[in-house]
Amino acid sequence: MVDRRSSSPPLSPVVVFAYKRRDHLETTIASLLCNPEAPSTDLHVYCDAARTAVDQPAVDGVRNFVSDLKGFASITRVFRESNMGLAGSIIDGVTRLLAQHDRVIVIEDDLLLSAHFLRYMNDALQAYAADEQVASIHGYCYPTTDPLPETFFLLGADCWGWATWRRAWAQFNPDGALLLKELRQRKLTHRFDFDGTYPYTRMLKNQVLGKNSSWAIRWHASCYLAGRMTLYPGRSLVHNIGNDSSGTHSGTTARFDQIASHRPVKVERLPLLESTVGRAAFVKFFGTQRESPMQRLARHLRRLWKQPS
């Protein structure tokens, strides 16, 4: 196997965040190891500590698996001593890694990756390394019905298999209240919500109210307000396998299911402009996926039924 580091810039380190889903994590790591670049890639794995005694056996199972991991150039294991939650763990881990490295690829423990994922991420990170307007690279793309370009830009950021640089992560503002205030003052909420088809503003408001702890909505809003963009692939290189109610913040849905592409995505430099085609396709997709009042009620009841008495 050819080590791309001999003829190309060093491969970006990869960080994986995990908690208690060993089966999901094993699938994620197995798919990552199918990437030809994996043996030359430095891997960092952050494992959060158990939030409750009930979670401890599952957390121990994840840590046992991580302790035995092989197949990468190096493996750095971070076992949290206290529970930080997903948002706290990701914000801290990405910040720490970008203090040591110029760039990083970020994966959570519920992503099935294409064998072409690392090549695309590293090529795009290198292609746009010096472009301040580009905040991140994304590996997932929604299952739109309209054809998409090979790659395209959209304002903001995303979170299902992504990468960024130290210069861009410096834009991250953890203060959701300030982000929400600025979106409203600049009258951007409708456009931020893809013309009202996806409730990003509501997600940010709920984060401010303590109803969720999403780091991703704050990352998205931070980049959006700064006029920064994310590069998307026209064919998804990620399939999220965590929308099965197994995660702390996920429900059960197949709306976003995408088969990770068996074909590589070619990275060629584009004009630094938001894609009208890509944005229109996302607006159309979100618009057709909106829940009816009855669907929202059913989802709410399912959540109530799951709550302990």
Side-chain angles (χ1 to χ4, degrees):
M1 183 176 294
V2 176
D3 185 344
R4 293 182 64 227
R5 292 186 295 186
S6 63
S7 58
S8 304
L11 297 174
S12 172
V14 172
V15 58
V16 177
F17 291 93
Y19 179 44
K20 64 175 184 177
R21 296 184 290 181
R22 176 168 176 161
D23 289 348
H24 288 69
L25 179 61
E26 287 186 12
T27 299
T28 297
I29 294 296
S31 68
L32 187 59
L33 283 168
C34 288
N35 283 251
E37 296 79 11
S40 302
T41 295
D42 296 321
L43 180 70
H44 300 254
V45 186
Y46 281 73
C47 297
D48 207 359
R51 185 162 55 92
T52 67
V54 173
D55 289 346
Q56 191 63 57
V59 167
D60 290 341
V62 165
R63 295 185 176 204
N64 290 337
F65 170 71
V66 171
S67 294
D68 293 334
L69 268 182
K70 296 179 178 64
F72 299 90
S74 70
I75 301 175
T76 302
R77 302 165 178 86
V78 179
F79 295 155
R80 303 289 196 186
E81 295 183 0
S82 60
N83 182 266
M84 299 185 69
L86 180 62
S89 188
I90 288 181
I91 293 170
D92 175 77
V94 171
T95 300
R96 287 175 180 270
L97 283 168
L98 287 175
Q100 303 168 16
H101 305 276
D102 176 66
R103 60 193 69 177
V104 67
I105 298 169
V106 186
I107 300 169
E108 293 180 42
D109 63 352
D110 56 3
L111 303 179
L112 177 61
L113 308 168
S114 164
H116 306 291
F117 174 81
L118 286 180
R119 176 66 181 271
Y120 160 76
M121 300 299 276
N122 279 286
D123 285 352
L125 281 168
Q126 184 61 23
Y128 296 102
D131 294 302
E132 293 286 336
Q133 279 183 267
V134 184
S136 72
I137 311 300
H138 202 233
Y140 172 81
C141 185
Y142 293 100
T144 65
T145 56
D146 295 342
L148 292 167
E150 187 77 359
T151 59
F152 59 97
F153 286 116
L154 292 178
L155 277 173
D158 224 319
C159 60
W160 286 357
W162 58 286
T164 192
W165 303 266
R166 181 188 300 145
R167 59 161 177 80
W169 187 245
Q171 296 282 335
F172 176 68
N173 183 354
D175 191 331
L178 285 179
L179 294 168
L180 183 60
K181 180 181 179 181
E182 187 173 351
L183 282 167
R184 288 170 170 169
Q185 286 180 338
R186 292 169 58 179
K187 302 185 185 307
L188 291 173
T189 56
H190 183 71
R191 185 169 177 80
F192 183 64
D193 290 348
F194 280 91
D195 299 344
T197 61
Y198 198 81
Y200 281 119
T201 300
R202 188 174 70 196
M203 290 172 63
L204 182 58
K205 180 181 177 181
N206 285 340
Q207 187 277 320
V208 174
L209 293 174
K211 294 181 179 180
N212 70 56
S213 59
S214 175
W215 64 272
I217 189 61
R218 288 175 283 169
W219 173 225
H220 177 40
S222 297
C223 294
Y224 195 95
L225 287 165
R228 303 296 195 261
M229 299 182 295
T230 286
L231 185 77
Y232 286 80
R235 296 181 299 281
S236 187
L237 297 169
V238 174
H239 169 48
N240 190 316
I241 58 174
N243 290 318
D244 57 358
S245 296
S246 64
T248 303
H249 305 289
S250 66
T252 300
T253 181
R255 290 187 295 160
F256 306 117
D257 283 1
Q258 272 281 55
I259 300 300
S261 177
H262 297 295
R263 291 189 292 138
V265 173
K266 187 175 183 181
V267 175
E268 293 183 336
R269 282 190 55 82
L270 302 174
L272 301 181
L273 299 169
E274 185 173 46
S275 169
T276 56
V277 172
R279 190 175 193 282
F282 278 30
V283 167
K284 181 179 177 181
F285 170 75
F286 290 143
T288 60
Q289 296 297 312
R290 281 185 290 184
E291 292 179 311
S292 68
M294 287 302 296
Q295 287 173 320
R296 285 196 296 273
L297 176 60
R299 178 167 54 84
H300 178 64
L301 289 174
R302 286 196 299 270
R303 288 180 177 174
L304 289 177
W305 292 334
K306 286 182 180 180
Q307 292 179 0
S309 56

